[in-house]
Amino acid sequence: MLERDIDRVFFSAQELQDRVAELGRQITADYDGKSPLFVGVLKGSFVFMADLMRCVDTYCDIDFMAVSSYGSGTTTTGAVKINKDLSYDVEGRHVLLIEDILDSGVTLSYLKKFIEGRKPASVSICTLLDKPARRKADIRADYVGFECPDAFIVGYGLDYAERYRNLPYIGVLKPQIYQ
Ligand code: IMP
Ligand code: MG
């Protein structure tokens, strides 16, 4: 059904699983003994985060933040609004922000500063996808799944107008879908 709307697959379900497992091993090694707090940025990161944390083999806990920086279109409005704040006190904690995609970087640079203001022990960023060509804010991720080309992509949590998050792979939509 949904496959009919897809023009091209960028990352297959298997490629995603393999890379997520590698990231999980790396994070396990880096955070062992630190009891990190994983903060998922809703909604896009929820699929990635669910898979990633099952590949992390050390004590950790999770929280979520919800922000909006995008309307239902495909370009950023530049403004970040916090719709759901953290439920935990992060002072002294090792925080790992989990994102689906680092695009302009406006969202993550805002969130990183926001969390740093609460005196955590550290704040790092793990993003499944990175589009360095589109960066506006001065920010880089500590863990990157894949670099991806400057195209609007969907699936594995990423949406177009709230749809396609449930695709098990990542791909580009057919041009007529955006019309
Ligand atoms: P940034 O603030 O421009 O870095 O935007 C990051 C957010 O924009 C991500 O969390 C996504 O929700 C959304 N986004 C950016 N690029 C894409 C894309 O290609 N497909 C779907 N969502 C995207
Ligand atoms: Mg989105």
Side-chain angles (χ1 to χ4, degrees):
M1 281 264 291
L2 292 179
E3 206 171 316
R4 286 192 300 237
D5 296 354
I6 301 298
D7 203 25
R8 196 150 68 86
V9 175
F10 269 15
F11 304 108
S12 69
Q14 190 61 54
E15 284 174 303
L16 291 168
Q17 293 312 316
D18 292 348
R19 184 65 186 127
V20 169
E22 274 174 20
L23 286 175
R25 282 192 289 272
Q26 213 182 328
I27 289 167
T28 302
D30 293 353
Y31 283 90
D32 193 31
K34 292 184 173 171
S35 231
L37 174 66
F38 294 160
V39 175
V41 185
L42 293 172
K43 304 176 207 170
S45 69
F46 83 108
V47 177
F48 171 48
M49 184 166 171
D51 283 347
L52 179 68
M53 70 176 296
R54 282 177 286 179
C55 297
V56 170
D57 187 21
T58 188
Y59 296 111
C60 66
D61 51 341
I62 62 165
D63 202 350
F64 294 96
M65 287 188 76
V67 297
S68 42
S69 60
Y70 272 72
S72 56
T74 61
T75 50
T76 183
T77 58
V80 180
K81 181 169 157 267
I82 293 190
N83 298 324
K84 186 215 166 294
D85 198 345
L86 294 167
S87 342
Y88 284 104
D89 180 8
V90 296
E91 189 172 340
R93 297 294 310 269
H94 290 281
V95 176
L96 185 59
L97 274 166
I98 314 284
E99 248 293 33
D100 52 0
I101 186 164
L102 185 52
D103 187 28
S104 72
V106 171
T107 310
L108 277 179
S109 65
Y110 181 89
L111 280 183
K112 193 172 184 204
K113 283 193 199 102
F114 181 87
I115 292 175
E116 276 167 353
R118 293 180 177 172
K119 304 192 169 49
S122 68
V123 187
S124 299
I125 292 174
C126 175
T127 185
L128 176 64
L129 301 159
D130 190 6
K131 277 187 194 168
R134 289 174 45 93
R135 199 75 84 253
K136 283 192 213 135
D138 178 26
I139 185 109
R140 50 170 290 281
D142 303 274
Y143 303 91
V144 176
F146 299 97
E147 272 201 15
C148 68
D150 184 8
F152 194 81
I153 50 185
V154 297
Y156 199 68
L158 290 143
D159 71 303
Y160 170 62
E162 296 300 327
R163 289 182 169 172
Y164 305 103
R165 294 192 199 275
N166 51 327
L167 276 177
Y169 52 85
I170 289 177
V172 192
L173 291 171
K174 290 180 178 161
Q176 61 264 34
I177 306 291
Y178 299 111
Q179 283 148 25

